[in-house]
């Protein structure tokens, strides 16, 4: 079995476990994205995960686990690294617009190449520090995965949304300490315990809004 076939098998089983349906083209885009990440990782050190099969679980399925919870059409993924979770979500939601923000040029170059290779029309990679970035219009959702504490995320990103916008943070263990540190200007709307197929460890999603 080729690595491409192995990745496809892990993906299909994962989608089944998550009760998600993606087209053959979307599945192929996700497999190709992992292969690109693996190829670039050797020179650019984009992720500490070295095994493409582990990338499929720890990066792709982990990102796709929030598909049922993603409302809004104009989304920014801050501190996205090589494009996580933004790139897999953009593949899953071709009708939504994604801005993928990172301060490191090599990551943005990788994302730009991936967008071109995968034929994605709904992704804009941007190199900038989050506090220096301003969208043309307020974003519906500010998304982050392993970016910063909730307190810092809200402090650095509050200018990116208006009163309707939401912050969505993907966390490991339930971040009780971080939730207690959230300033009085925001409130935690809800939290969700996520199950990611084949992933060892906890996953939680936290929604926040301006008061």
């Amino acid at each position: 079995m080729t690595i491409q076939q192995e990745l496809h098998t892990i993906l299909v089983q994962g989608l089944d476990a998550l009760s998600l349906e993606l087209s053959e083209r979307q599945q192929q885009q996700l497999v190709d994205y992992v292969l690109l990440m693996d190829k670039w990782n050797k020179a650019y050190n984009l992720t500490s995960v070295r095994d493409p099969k582990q990338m499929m679980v720890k990066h792709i399925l982990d990102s796709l686990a929030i598909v049922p919870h993603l409302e809004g059409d104009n989304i920014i993924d801050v501190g996205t690294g090589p494009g996580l979770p933004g790139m897999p979500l953009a593949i899953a939601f071709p009708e939504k617009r994604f801005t993928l923000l990172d301060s490191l040029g090599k990551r943005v170059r990788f994302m730009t190449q991936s967008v071109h290779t995968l034929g994605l029309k709904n992704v804009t990679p941007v190199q900038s520090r989050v506090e220096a970035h301003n969208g043309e219009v307020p974003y519906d959702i500010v998304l982050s995965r392993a970016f910063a504490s909730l307190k810092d995320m809200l402090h650095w990103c509050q200018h990116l949304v208006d009163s309707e916008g939401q912050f969505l943070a993907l966390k490991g263990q339930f971040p009780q300490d971080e939730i207690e540190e959230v300033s009085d200007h925001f409130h935690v709307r809800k939290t969700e315990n996520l199950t990611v197929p084949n992933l060892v460890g906890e996953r939680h999603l936290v929604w926040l809004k301006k008061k």
Side-chain angles (χ1 to χ4, degrees), residues 25-111:
R25 173 171 161 74
Q26 287 169 308
Q27 291 176 28
Q28 189 59 53
Q29 285 173 317
L30 289 165
V31 169
D32 289 344
Y33 175 54
V34 170
L35 293 172
L36 275 170
M37 205 173 350
D38 180 48
K39 180 181 168 187
W40 278 61
N41 205 33
K42 293 173 174 66
Y44 279 73
N45 203 22
L46 299 167
T47 165
S48 59
V49 181
R50 296 287 174 215
D51 177 9
K53 290 181 282 189
Q54 285 297 311
M55 286 180 187
M56 184 58 83
V57 173
K58 292 182 176 177
H59 290 332
I60 306 304
L61 296 179
D62 189 48
S63 298
L64 293 176
I66 69 175
V67 162
H69 309 288
L70 202 63
E71 306 152 5
D73 296 317
N74 185 21
I75 298 158
I76 183 166
D77 177 13
V78 295
T80 185
L84 299 161
M87 199 79 79
L89 292 172
I91 290 169
F93 290 109
E95 73 286 0
K96 297 181 190 285
R97 296 188 306 284
F98 288 83
T99 300
L100 306 187
L101 190 78
D102 201 273
S103 59
L104 271 187
K106 64 180 183 180
R107 293 174 183 158
V108 176
R109 283 194 292 278
F110 165 71
M111 289 189 285

